[in-house]
Amino acid sequence: MPKSKRNRVVTLSKTKKKGKEHKENIVNSIRECAEKYSSAFFLGSNKVMQVALGRSDSDEIRPGLHKISKLVRGDSGLCFTNLSKEEVQRLFNEYEEHDFARTGTTATEKVELQEGPLDQFTHEMEPFLRKQGMPVRLNRGVVELVSDFVVCEEGRPLSPEAARILRLLGKKMATFRLHLICRWSPDEFEIYREGLEESDIESS
């Protein structure tokens, strides 16, 4: 009897990781931008960006860039531009993008769903919604909420389930902003983050 293809084991570990060549391309792109000041953003591995800039004054690609390298940590990125200092500050201060909130984010409002049909969801979604704690059932192929359900309360942190439900509902509670940490030019290095001095960077 032939083996069923449905029972065949499939390995999911065959995807190629981003290797040395990919990292070298990023390093070279960052170094090229540092020389030419073309407008570009780099977001990715902090270690790769640090290597590109230089981690000390002995391996930095331009004088003073290792100071930036020491501040590349957490959710950081690099911005290369020919714009003036004032224009960059204005753009960063004005930029704001609404996004879906993650687990642990404080809810900005109470979200409650009323008992009855949930027409925005297909019948295939019913098991998933139940796993998120929603009291739902299928009624003639329509997802139905059997009782009122509070997704989240204002001022309280979002649970993983609440964050998933809000995403499904298209409800955005987070605001994405960009904050300047420091600025480098051939003539000047300036720190914007409060409580951090240039001497702290040199000694870290």
Side-chain angles (χ1 to χ4, degrees), residues 51-164:
V51 168
L53 296 170
R55 293 180 174 177
S56 66
D57 55 5
S58 62
D59 62 358
E60 62 187 5
I61 54 171
R62 297 192 68 180
L65 275 181
H66 77 280
K67 296 175 183 178
I68 293 178
S69 183
K70 290 180 181 292
L71 294 171
V72 176
R73 51 193 171 209
D75 294 326
S76 297
L78 299 174
C79 172
F80 296 92
T81 182
N82 294 317
L83 295 173
S84 68
K85 167 186 171 180
E86 293 73 23
E87 184 68 7
V88 172
Q89 287 176 321
R90 184 187 66 79
L91 290 171
F92 270 67
N93 290 335
E94 291 178 358
Y95 182 80
E96 192 175 279
E97 188 74 31
H98 295 291
D99 199 2
F100 294 108
R102 298 180 181 181
T103 301
T105 302
T106 302
T108 56
E109 61 180 287
K110 179 179 180 178
V111 176
E112 184 175 8
L113 300 175
Q114 302 300 312
E115 176 185 347
L118 298 172
D119 298 322
Q120 64 267 52
F121 300 122
T122 61
H123 67 277
E124 293 96 343
M125 298 278 304
E126 190 265 344
F128 178 78
L129 295 173
R130 240 184 308 115
K131 284 183 181 178
Q132 308 314 308
M134 293 178 65
V136 292
R137 67 181 178 190
L138 279 179
N139 185 2
R140 297 181 182 180
V142 177
V143 179
E144 187 177 71
L145 201 60
V146 298
S147 62
D148 293 351
F149 178 73
V150 176
V151 179
C152 61
E153 294 278 3
E154 183 180 355
R156 293 188 181 179
L158 294 177
S159 66
E161 295 79 14
R164 292 187 200 109

Side-chain angles (χ1 to χ4, degrees), residues 163-192:
R164 292 187 200 109
I165 295 169
L166 289 172
R167 181 178 285 271
L168 289 173
L169 294 171
K171 195 82 175 170
K172 297 181 178 181
M173 285 194 179
T175 304
F176 176 77
R177 292 187 180 92
L178 295 170
H179 300 282
L180 287 170
I181 297 173
C182 64
R183 182 182 67 86
W184 174 92
S185 71
D187 307 315
E188 186 182 14
F189 177 75
E190 186 176 3
I191 297 174
Y192 293 103

